[in-house]
Amino acid sequence: MQHYISYIYLLSLLLATTCVGCRHHATQDRKAIPVQTRVIEPTTVHLTRSYVGTIEDGHQVRISTQQAGQVRSVAVRLGQHVQAGQLLVAIDSTQALNAAISARATLRQAQDAVTRMQQVYAAGGVTEQQRVELLTRLEQARSLEAMNRQTLTNCRICAPIDGVVAECLVREGQNLVPGEGVVTLVQKDGLEVVFSVPETELSAVHVGDTGLINIAAIHAESLPVVVHEKGVIASPVTHSYTVKASIPASSQYRLSDIAVGMVADVRLYSLGTTGVSVPASCIQLLQTGPVVWVVEGGCAVRRQVSVGAYANDEVIISSGLYSGDTLIISGYHKLWANAPISQ
């Protein structure tokens, strides 16, 4: 009998606990969850594509020597600003100078011979054959003198343009051969950012597209760029195409502060397109695919969506959301199916 009474007592206690839990759960279900919402409206969005590029100089000149010889002096240093015509490197000109002096002497002798010949030619003292020979020697002497004068000039390697010395490839005492590079000049008013675009995104990039770059090395942000060159041959390794965008002068960052070789984050903006976009944080990834929470009849409903490209900090929705839908943008992590919400 005592065991029977104990059994009845335990059963009554269990039923009471269950009823309290049910009442608590029912109370919780009826309590509205505070959320923030946004009404979906089609808007014009600009697709953003991000790349990593390198700063290069669009006007870079590598100067080489036309004259063989030994370097006598190097008149510039790395980073130095030079003007067109300024001496960069001097080559030993001893042999070239002697050859030029000899050629000038030969030219004067040939000119004097022709002058004397003209005086006696009219009197018949010189045959036509002799006259032609003297004139030929004069032309040969002129050509030889011009060649030796140019050789002497080539011993002084001067800057063809205004710019900054990016590379100095020679040292004093070094022997040079024709065609060997000596100095590389860059012009800071022609900087550009070079980056690779995957083949799947190349059709979305056009000459004239605008964008922004960030250069972390000098804390430069949102520098405008304009695409001016689009490659047509893909890299055999990465299957990507080279794209170049020019960097115009900025009032906030001088181009002289930007160095060739710096790494830049590139963001290109395509033409505006009309569509539905939502904050990327609103999208939840489940095994069935991406979903968002919307409001239907005062309750939260999970809806399957298809996502497209990124536009700034938002994601374009290809399907699943329509104009007039109310999207839950905050507080969705506390929701369950058909949960009551308060806005």
Side-chain angles (χ1 to χ4, degrees), residues 223-339:
L223 296 181
V225 294
V226 180
V227 175
H228 68 87
E229 186 175 318
K230 176 181 174 181
V232 296
I233 300 178
S235 168
V237 179
T238 61
H239 297 283
S240 59
Y241 294 78
T242 299
V243 175
K244 298 181 179 180
S246 58
I247 307 175
S250 173
S251 58
Q252 184 178 4
Y253 298 98
R254 297 180 303 171
L255 292 181
S256 58
D257 296 333
I258 305 176
V260 175
M262 288 183 174
V263 177
D265 295 325
V266 185
R267 289 175 292 165
L268 288 185
Y269 302 107
S270 64
L271 297 177
T273 180
T274 301
V276 173
S277 64
V278 301
S281 59
C282 295
I283 300 176
Q284 293 180 312
L285 297 178
L286 304 181
Q287 293 182 350
T288 56
V291 298
V292 295
W293 289 92
V294 296
V295 179
E296 293 184 3
C299 297
V301 177
R302 183 182 294 162
R303 184 179 295 180
Q304 195 89 19
V305 294
S306 297
V307 299
Y310 282 87
N312 297 332
D313 295 329
E314 299 199 344
V315 179
I316 296 177
I317 301 299
S318 304
S319 62
L321 284 180
Y322 309 97
S323 178
D325 286 343
T326 302
L327 174 70
I328 299 176
I329 61 175
S330 178
Y332 54 83
H333 60 282
K334 300 178 292 184
L335 300 176
W336 62 90
N338 297 319

Side-chain angles (χ1 to χ4, degrees), residues 33-300:
I33 305 299
V35 296
Q36 294 182 2
T37 61
R38 186 175 80 178
V39 178
I40 297 297
E41 295 180 354
T43 58
T44 300
V45 295
H46 295 271
L47 301 181
T48 303
R49 291 180 171 84
S50 300
Y51 309 97
V52 177
T54 304
I55 303 299
E56 293 187 3
D57 189 358
H59 300 87
Q60 179 172 314
V61 179
R62 183 165 184 170
I63 304 170
S64 59
T65 177
Q66 300 180 17
Q67 176 66 29
Q70 188 178 65
V71 177
R72 187 180 63 187
S73 64
V74 178
V76 294
R77 63 184 184 278
L78 290 178
Q80 179 178 341
H81 291 261
V82 298
Q83 297 179 345
Q86 182 175 336
L87 177 64
L88 302 177
V89 177
I91 300 177
D92 184 27
S93 59
T94 302
Q95 295 184 357
L97 179 60
N98 292 334
I101 293 174
S102 176
R104 283 197 293 269
T106 302
L107 176 60
R108 286 195 296 269
Q109 183 181 19
Q111 290 173 337
D112 182 69
V114 170
T115 300
R116 294 176 182 274
M117 178 271 297
Q118 297 291 358
Q119 296 174 356
V120 297
Y121 177 73
V126 177
T127 65
E128 184 64 23
Q129 180 180 1
Q130 291 175 330
R131 175 176 175 273
V132 171
E133 289 180 354
L134 290 176
L135 291 177
T136 301
R137 291 177 183 175
L138 176 60
E139 292 300 322
Q140 291 175 342
R142 285 175 176 170
S143 177
L144 181 62
E145 191 276 336
M147 291 174 58
N148 283 276
R149 186 174 66 251
Q150 184 61 45
T151 300
L152 181 61
T153 301
N154 291 341
C155 291
R156 291 175 54 86
I157 304 175
C158 299
I161 59 173
D162 296 342
V164 179
V165 178
E167 289 182 308
C168 191
L169 306 173
V170 296
R171 296 290 183 270
E172 293 184 9
Q174 180 178 342
N175 291 320
L176 302 178
V177 296
E180 185 173 355
V182 293
V183 172
T184 300
L185 296 181
V186 297
Q187 289 183 314
K188 285 300 187 70
D189 58 349
L191 291 178
E192 61 187 13
V193 57
V194 181
F195 53 96
S196 297
V197 176
E199 56 186 8
T200 56
E201 301 180 9
L202 184 67
S203 60
V205 179
H206 305 87
V207 174
D209 285 351
T210 59
L212 299 174
I213 64 171
N214 296 332
I215 306 176
I218 59 174
H219 306 289
E221 296 182 355
S222 301
L223 296 181
V225 294
V226 180
V227 175
H228 68 87
E229 186 175 318
K230 176 181 174 181
V232 296
I233 300 178
S235 168
V237 179
T238 61
H239 297 283
S240 59
Y241 294 78
T242 299
V243 175
K244 298 181 179 180
S246 58
I247 307 175
S250 173
S251 58
Q252 184 178 4
Y253 298 98
R254 297 180 303 171
L255 292 181
S256 58
D257 296 333
I258 305 176
V260 175
M262 288 183 174
V263 177
D265 295 325
V266 185
R267 289 175 292 165
L268 288 185
Y269 302 107
S270 64
L271 297 177
T273 180
T274 301
V276 173
S277 64
V278 301
S281 59
C282 295
I283 300 176
Q284 293 180 312
L285 297 178
L286 304 181
Q287 293 182 350
T288 56
V291 298
V292 295
W293 289 92
V294 296
V295 179
E296 293 184 3
C299 297

